[in-house]
Amino acid sequence: MKRWPEFVQIKEVGPRDGLQNEKKRVATADKIAWINMLSESGVTEVEYSSFVHPKWVPQLSDAHEVGKKIVRNPQVCYSALVPNMKGLDLALEAGIDSASVFMSASETHNQKNINKTIAETYPVLGQVIEEAKSAGKRVTGYVSTVFDCPYEGKIEPEAVIRVCEQLFEFGVDDLSLGDTIGSAVPSQVEELLQAVLKRYPKEKIIMHYHDTRGMAIANIMTSMEYGINRFDSSIGGLGGCPYAPGAAGNVATNDILYLLHGMGIKTGIDEKKIRDASLYIQNKLGKLLPSKSLAVAAAKANG
Ligand code: HMG
Ligand code: MG
């Protein structure tokens, strides 16, 4: 039996998960130019921004303008984060192919992140999912803190399954399971995926690893052993969740591409274009991004 998938689908979340946690605001025109670069890299989905409350995430308060002005590549699915009906209305107006709804498996993180209990969140997301589907949009559901919560500690797989069950019942097309604080190790991934894949087909599950402790690549390898072939990543390793203290960025797109392409697994993404887009945003932010593969590629490019 084959241990690894032949093809892995990557969703680029840098413009959303990446920039939401950067102190420095990137100018709207620069964001648009950068997203246009990403659109030409071969990636098939870009999460371009977030229609949350602008006071909660001021870095992305230009979501509407960005959505209106980016050049749409017909090969790319453009998604954005949507917390409620107000966010969905704005996102539909700005243009999305897919809505990303989100909630947490941990009660405390859910409260801190979206100001509601888990029970209060369900009717809000139920309506958003229904309206997005009737507008003909795909919907992905993010479930955060699927391994550990920064406030509550370990989250049991049963708590994750309860949220997954409800979101699938509401009609999400797929679920992205988030290691929000980047704390999991492969044995935790095995425990969760055994429970999840007993109930849902692997094609409907995306893994979303933050790389706070450098464990993301190990966790991706373990996920692939379970047949998972869809991952979220952030260019250069940008980002984190502003309502999960200490959480670093997602696994870097540059690092996951180095891993996958080195193993002969196809992604359709051009590593050089990702390097160039990483250097572009690194320059705009005025700081080195954490990806090790980017550091090597940048050094090589400089001679
Ligand atoms: P709230 O204050 O409870 O909202 O915030 P509300 O419904 O009570 O409304 C209060 C005011 O906000 C009203 O205005 C609304 O109109 C307005 P007023 O009548 O007072 O003038 N409002 C909005 N304005 C613009 N856009 C909206 C919107 N909604 C309400 N969408 C809310 C609730 C969910 C809005 C808030 O808590 C919020 O924006 N939270 C977002 C936090 C966030 O973005 N966190 C990071 C993303 S999640 C993440 O990173 C994890 C993930 O990557 C996966 C992983 O790593 O695990 C996805
Ligand atoms: Mg995240």
Side-chain angles (χ1 to χ4, degrees), residues 164-295:
C164 295
E165 202 59 30
Q166 189 63 76
L167 291 177
F168 273 131
E169 210 166 287
F170 287 145
V172 296
D173 293 279
D174 40 33
L175 287 179
S176 177
L177 306 182
D179 183 8
T180 314
I181 57 170
S183 62
V185 293
S187 52
Q188 286 173 277
V189 173
E190 291 201 310
E191 185 191 19
L192 181 67
L193 285 180
Q194 276 166 12
V196 166
L197 297 176
K198 236 185 250 162
R199 291 166 179 83
Y200 315 114
K202 61 184 186 324
E203 293 73 22
K204 291 197 171 281
I205 303 298
I206 304 156
M207 295 307 290
H208 178 102
Y209 291 112
H210 283 264
D211 203 20
T212 315
R213 295 166 179 81
M215 296 294 119
I217 290 289
N219 291 334
I220 287 166
M221 290 295 293
T222 302
S223 307
M224 289 198 297
E225 286 187 39
Y226 278 80
I228 300 293
N229 68 351
R230 300 174 70 191
F231 297 96
D232 298 338
S233 67
S234 174
I235 193 157
L238 266 176
C241 177
Y243 298 98
N250 299 83
V251 63
T253 308
N254 321 60
D255 296 348
I256 190 173
L257 290 181
Y258 181 81
L259 172 83
L260 297 172
H261 293 170
M263 290 174 68
I265 299 170
K266 293 187 175 50
T267 64
I269 301 174
D270 182 332
E271 276 180 75
K272 284 203 183 66
K273 290 188 175 168
I274 290 296
R275 178 200 65 194
D276 293 346
S278 308
L279 295 176
Y280 177 88
I281 199 69
Q282 179 165 277
N283 184 262
K284 297 294 171 197
L285 289 166
K287 65 172 211 186
L288 287 177
L289 298 182
S291 166
K292 291 197 169 86
S293 309
L294 171 61

Side-chain angles (χ1 to χ4, degrees), residues 16-17 20 51 53 57 84 86 113 115 144 180 208 210:
R16 194 281 300 173
D17 207 334
Q20 76 180 12
F51 292 85
H53 195 297
V57 183
N84 53 19
K86 178 148 191 176
N113 199 34
N115 206 23
S144 289
T180 314
H208 178 102
H210 283 264

